[in-house]
Structures are given as structure tokens and as C-alpha cells.
Amino acid sequence: MLVTDANAVIIRVNQAFTRLTGYKPEDVIGKTTAILSSGRQDPEFYQRMWQSLKDNGYWQGVIWNKRKNGKIDAEWLSISAVAAPDGTTTHYVATYSDITENKNAEAEVHRLAYYDTLTRLPNRRLLQDRLEQAVLNCPPSGKHGALLLMELDHFQRINDTLGHEIGDQLLVETARRLSRCLPEGDTLARFGGDEFVLLLEGLSAEPIEAAAEVEQMAEKVSTALAQPFNVANRVFYFTLSIGIVLCHAPESAEMLLQQTTVALRKAKNAGRNCFRFFDPDLQAMLEQRMGLEEDLHLAVERGELELYYQPQVDGDGQLIGAEALLRWKHPEKGVISPAVFIPLAEENGLIFSIGLWVLETACAQIKAWSDNPAIPAFQVAVNVSARQFQQPDFTDRVEQVLTRTGIDPNKLKIELTESVVLADINDTLKKMHSLKALGLSLSLDDFGTGQSSLSYLTRMPLDQLKIDRSFVINLPKNRNDAILAQAIIAMGQGLNLAVIAEGVETAAQQEFLKSLGCHFYQGYLYSRPLPVAEFEVYLQRIEPPPN
């Protein structure tokens, strides 16, 4: 308790005041109550407080005061005016108690409700509040806003293989890097899992200029995330897929978030590590996609999946292998390319059962051809998806299939893409050596399209490099593609690896590749992918190699 005169000069305090504030009576008597001010409340707060005392003779509420030792506490303060018989205020009597712990509890409840506990960024709830406000501000200002939904590519493999503790550390570092890119006044939130949202406001009123500003920001955050992550004595690399929607006309926050989800899916379908803007036409495509996903669940049990085989030949046209290519024969939509449904399977987890079916079906076919003396011996290559390869027991599953089908392991080749093998290099090398120990061959598919490190390449027990079709299609006219193809072939020769070019469609392409030292080919020049029956007809037309 303390008592002041009419001018707020302290004239008396009790012992509880000294225990609470640290101030002895001689420290404060004769001084105004301003000695207790923490500076947390603005002058308007005190003006309202004194106006209430003047009008009502009473005020109560929360006030932040400073102790003698400098500590700031929250206090519940009640002030009563003491008046003379003529109504003139002569004194003020104040009583207050420390409620700091209650105030801290209130702040903690607020933090838990509106902020992510791991990264301390605003959470989905707070983002929606700010997004709704931003949408309201767009039409009056005439300026655009933008919403960027960002996802770390293939992050789930970290939690699946290394555990959530390392995954959480990577997410915290991701939040830190993204925060450093954040323009003042804009919002970065963790949307959940490995998804983050950036809300930009005050962009140009012109749509094209606003889109250009957002593209610059997308490139900035992508660059920030491209730098190596050093966590738990390991080095990780990540890319970012981003879905973007510009907002100008009034729309609900929920609708904008749905649109960014569609845009993000578009970026992932484009190969990830890129950004895409929302297109209203995608909404109809999304509905079709959902229907396709439902059908895919039934495709395996209905027997709608089928393996086609595309020949691989040497410079003389002799068969040296075949690639098993998955097709989906939809009862209504016809043959559906794996480029359409494999991303769906990756997302919903069906890739595990589909990948196992592909491996077992290919091995069973290898066994059938091996038992037929009229069919020449050759290898069959099977593609393995990222999520399939990242299964901890992947090599065990392969071994089980080999045992069940009884094939010669030398007749099976596993094709892996650069993005798969570089995801976790230590785990990759361990699995590759285990597969080699089983007697399989290993091929690096789509080589040159990613970011392979030569130091990693020399450590991998590979048998083959595959030149991606994107480098072949414009040969021999495109000088840059010619240089890249030549470099890949020279690299393969230097590492004692076989090099095969896919997508060969013309004799000119083959002759040019042959002149560079490439001696194995695959493409429409030799044959399109064929179902089993047609492939066997193709095999019967092949002249046996000379003795």
C-alpha cells in the first residue's frame, strides 16, 4: 500500500510495499509515483488512468512497475481518491499485488495458441488471422499481396531414416534462414510439418510487376535453403518447392490457402525445386486428380498395372538389355503414363506396394525368359523410386524377391536417379554395396539432370551411367548438349562404367553418340516400349550374335 498527496507525491508506504518493490520509505517518500514507472505503458495509458480518477474517484487494472533492482513486474493496482468535505481530492490510496506469474502464464497460453512451439514462428491460426486482415487491406490500397506455401523437398526421409530429433533441428535452422529473408512487416509462419508460409503485403498494383516481386522473393528463399545444413556432424542439402497465389480481390483466407496448395502440387509435379503460380484452371484438374488417386488404390488388385519392355542395344543393333517400364491400363481412360500416376503413388504411400509389384513381376518375367532356350540372355533394368529406396529394409526386400523367383541376380539391374542417391549419401552407399553383394548391377539414371558430386560418384559401386534423353533429343545440332554428352561419356569411360544413351530416335543421333565413344542405346529408333507378348515377337526377329 502507498498513500500520495493530490499531486501524486508519495507520503507513506507500508512494509509490504518495501518487500515487494525493494524501496525503503526513505527512498520514495517525497517523490512522485513516476519512480515506479517501467516505461512499458505509453503516456496515453496514464492519461486515461488519471482521467478515471478525476471522473470516478477510482481506478483499477494491470500496470507494469519497476522494482529497485530494475526487475519489471505485472501488478494488479487499485487506486482510490480521498476527498475533503468540499469534494476536493486530498490524497490517493493505492493497493496492489504482484501478478507477474499469472501474467507470464497468460503470455504462455497466448504463445501456445498462436506460435509454433518448435520454431517460435506464428502458427496456422495466427497466419489465418493476419491473412484475413491482409485480404481486407488489398482493395483499399490497390496493392497486391501474395501467399507463398513452401515445402522442403523429400524432407520426410530424414524423419523416417534418422529420427525426429535431427529433423527438428533442421526445421529450426530452416525457420532461421527463412526469417532472415523476411521483409519488414510481412509474416512467416510454420504451416505444419515441413511446410512454411510467407505472407507478403504491399506489392505492386500491377499484376505483372507484383508477380516479378514475388519471383524475386521465391528465388531468395530458395537460395537461402540451398546452402548446406550441418547438423549432428552430418551435412544435408535441401531444395524448396513453392506454390504461389497473388491476392488482390476479396477472397477468404481458407480459399487462398487452398489455392497455394494447388500451386505447390503443381511445383512438385514439375520435378520439385521450383515455384509455380496458382492457375484457376488447375482447380478442375485437381478434382480429376483426386478421382485418379481413388482409382489408383484399386489398380493393383484389379490387375490394371502392366510392365512394358523397351530394348537396349549396342552399336550393331544387338540386344544387350531391356528396361521395364510401368503402365496403367485404366478401364475408362486407357493407358496412363507413369509420369502421371507415380507422383500420386509417392505422395499417398502406394509406391511401396506398387514398387514391390514391379520388382516381383520383372523378376518373374526374367525367370520365364531365362527358362526359354530360344530367348537370348540379357539384363532387365528396373527403376526404383525415391521413397522405395529409402525404406530401411529395401535391400532385404530385394533379396526376398530374388529368393522367391529364383533368378540369376546378374540378369537384374536396378536404376536409381541422382536425386535418390544423393538424398543421404551414407545410407545410399551402404544400400548400394548391399545390392552389389547380392549380384545385381546398378545404373545411375537421368545422369546430368541433377547436382551429382564427382567425389560421391567415384565412391558409388555403379556399373552404368545413363545419358538423359533431354541431352540427346537435340543432337547433333545443339552444341551445348553435344558438349554435355561428350563430358558424360568421357566421365563414364574414366570411371570404367558402361554408358547408355536413352531417347535415341534418329540414326544421326546414334552415329554422333557413337563417334563420342557411346556404344549402348535405347529409344524409338530401335523400338517403342512393348507389352510382353509384342516384346517376345521382337526378340524372335533378332538375329543371334555371331559366335
Side-chain angles (χ1 to χ4, degrees), residues 359 363 379 394-395 398-399 402 407-414 432 434-443 461 463:
L359 186 62
C363 287
Q379 274 190 330
F394 173 72
T395 53
V398 173
E399 185 175 12
L402 294 175
I407 69 166
D408 178 358
N410 290 316
K411 292 186 177 180
L412 177 64
K413 179 164 57 183
I414 297 293
M432 291 178 77
S434 297
L435 292 170
K436 287 290 292 182
L438 295 176
L440 309 182
S441 297
L442 296 176
S443 175
D463 299 283

Side-chain angles (χ1 to χ4, degrees), residues 253-263 278 283 286:
E254 191 60 37
M255 178 60 71
L256 290 172
L257 289 169
Q258 288 179 11
Q259 291 173 353
T260 57
T261 301
V262 173
F278 172 76
Q283 194 64 42
L286 178 60

Side-chain angles (χ1 to χ4, degrees), residues 53 57-59 78-82 91-94:
L53 286 169
Y58 182 77
W59 181 89
S78 298
I79 306 175
S80 298
V82 179
H91 300 84
Y92 293 102
V93 178

